Amino acid sequence: MHMEDAGLGWKNMPGRHVHPGYSDLTGPVITTFLANGERITRPSSKTGGPYHVLLLGGSLTYGRALSDEDTFAWQLQEMLPEADIRNFGCDGYGTYQSLLLLEHLTTQSPAPDLVIYGFFDDHENRNVAAFSHLRMLAEYALQTRKTVAVPYCTIQHNGTLTRHPPTHYPFFSLREHSALLTLAQASLLKWRLSSRTRQKRVVTEKLLLQMKETCRKNGAEFIVIFLQANPPGYHQYRAFLKQHAIDSLDGRLPLTDRLRVPGEGHPNALANRFWAEVLVPIILDRIASEGTKPSVGKSLRGKAVGSNGIRPGTARATFGN
């Protein structure tokens, strides 16, 4: 469902893709991408409203292992008919790839009014092409016989952020015949990449600031929603975002079996429902501030946010401005 891209590494492949499902408990998974790589958020017969919301992030935003209508992007669109929800999440993306995509999308029509970035703490490793991330991409490459490369960033001695073109895990020609050579290669590469891996927190912070600045220059608001993050990192990032006047939302969930796709492990439709309901009041508030009287779709009428029974009332917004 993905295709090679010279700048992004890979991108969503246009078309309707059908996966047989991941267990006997799930039916076929239907994934539909438009010509620009955007995942659909509504039936083709319906149009969105005048307030444009752009979603960016990795597999959690994209909705891996879910059919189109189960993603939180689709559910948001159902709840907010006056909004135009556009899902540009892509499986495996980090903050840097999301920034590159944002820089392109802000030049397109319609321009976004609000950009929401779904954060997952492994994005740090993706942003610097850490050993663990390159190794994972290499395993995929061996299975598919494709080269998978990822763009990354580093910090120079003067503190500036430097962008690098896509790179991939280097293979030795005898890797399939020598376990010792494979092990030696992995150890050497891990050592070579250790310096940039140590930069992953600072790199990610600078990328978030560049996302905010890109939005500001194009007249859009920028919000980060924490979809998954361990407590130490979450609290540090939350303080950083507040310091730099970037609004953030706590959408973290305890991913028990009840909230996972059976046989696959990514968050299921119920978890995505929670994220959608967390975002609804924030987006409604922005729409109201634009001077448009907001309404709520039928799926939320008569219900309180958090009505799905998952940690009601625990999602918190932090406002830096």
Side-chain angles (χ1 to χ4, degrees):
M1 295 188 294
H2 303 91
M3 55 193 295
E4 187 176 351
D5 183 89
L8 294 166
W10 62 91
K11 60 184 179 181
N12 297 327
M13 181 182 293
R16 184 176 184 268
H17 310 275
V18 180
H19 188 280
Y22 298 92
S23 76
D24 294 337
L25 301 176
T26 61
V29 177
I30 299 174
T31 305
T32 312
F33 297 117
L34 301 179
N36 60 359
E38 173 184 356
R39 188 168 188 182
I40 65 171
T41 58
R42 54 184 174 266
S44 58
S45 59
K46 293 187 177 181
T47 58
Y51 188 80
H52 303 293
V53 180
L54 184 64
L55 302 179
L56 296 169
S59 61
L60 302 182
T61 302
Y62 147 74
R64 178 177 172 83
L66 298 175
S67 287
D68 299 323
E69 65 273 13
D70 291 330
T71 65
F72 76 81
W74 183 291
Q75 296 185 63
L76 259 182
Q77 184 66 77
E78 285 189 325
M79 297 174 187
L80 298 171
E82 67 273 66
D84 173 28
I85 308 296
R86 306 178 66 201
N87 184 5
F88 278 92
C90 185
D91 203 8
Y93 270 19
T95 319
Y96 181 40
Q97 287 159 299
S98 295
L99 170 63
L100 290 173
L101 190 54
L102 174 64
E103 291 173 341
H104 169 70
L105 293 173
T106 49
T107 67
Q108 307 299 302
S109 181
D113 297 297
L114 174 64
V115 175
I116 300 174
Y117 168 59
F119 182 86
F120 169 40
D121 47 15
D122 192 53
H123 290 181
E124 290 183 331
N125 291 317
R126 302 173 188 182
N127 295 335
V128 297
F131 172 81
S132 59
H133 189 52
L134 289 182
R135 186 75 176 266
M136 183 270 294
L137 293 177
E139 291 173 358
Y140 173 80
L142 287 174
Q143 294 171 5
T144 61
R145 298 189 180 277
K146 295 180 179 180
T147 299
V148 185
V150 59
Y152 67 100
C153 295
T154 56
I155 303 294
Q156 299 304 304
H157 294 299
N158 61 2
T160 60
L161 185 75
T162 299
R163 301 182 178 195
H164 300 273
T167 186
H168 59 84
Y169 191 97
F171 289 110
F172 293 144
S173 60
L174 299 178
R175 67 184 184 277
E176 296 178 353
H177 306 286
S178 171
L180 182 61
L181 181 60
T182 300
L183 179 61
Q185 177 204 17
S187 299
L188 177 61
L189 184 61
K190 189 173 184 178
W191 174 78
R192 285 177 52 197
L193 300 185
S194 60
S195 59
R196 79 179 189 218
T197 301
R198 289 193 294 269
Q199 298 178 342
K200 62 183 183 180
R201 173 65 53 81
V202 178
V203 164
T204 303
E205 289 176 346
K206 289 185 178 294
L207 290 170
L208 289 168
L209 292 179
Q210 290 194 8
M211 292 185 80
K212 176 195 174 183
E213 181 62 14
T214 301
C215 290
R216 186 195 65 78
K217 288 181 178 178
N218 291 277
E221 282 196 78
F222 178 55
I223 292 177
V224 176
I225 179 170
F226 291 92
L227 301 176
Q228 280 191 323
N230 292 318
Y234 162 72
H235 290 294
Q236 292 176 28
Y237 275 114
R238 184 180 176 186
F240 173 82
L241 293 174
K242 187 174 182 179
Q243 176 187 356
H244 293 277
I246 300 175
D247 292 347
S248 65
L249 283 166
D250 181 7
R252 295 172 300 153
L253 284 171
L255 284 182
T256 61
D257 289 344
R258 175 174 173 253
L259 299 177
R260 294 180 183 272
V261 174
E264 201 279 340
H266 268 75
N268 62 15
L270 184 59
N272 275 255
R273 171 76 178 194
F274 172 76
W275 288 329
E277 292 189 348
V278 166
L279 287 167
V280 163
I282 305 303
I283 299 174
L284 283 176
D285 180 66
R286 267 60 181 180
I287 295 175
S289 69
E290 293 285 319
T292 303
K293 185 178 179 180
S295 61
V296 179
K298 62 181 181 179
S299 59
L300 273 187
R301 288 196 181 111
K303 295 184 179 181
V305 171
S307 59
N308 55 21
I310 307 172
R311 298 200 323 165
T314 58
R316 297 178 296 279
T318 59
F319 300 101
N321 50 13

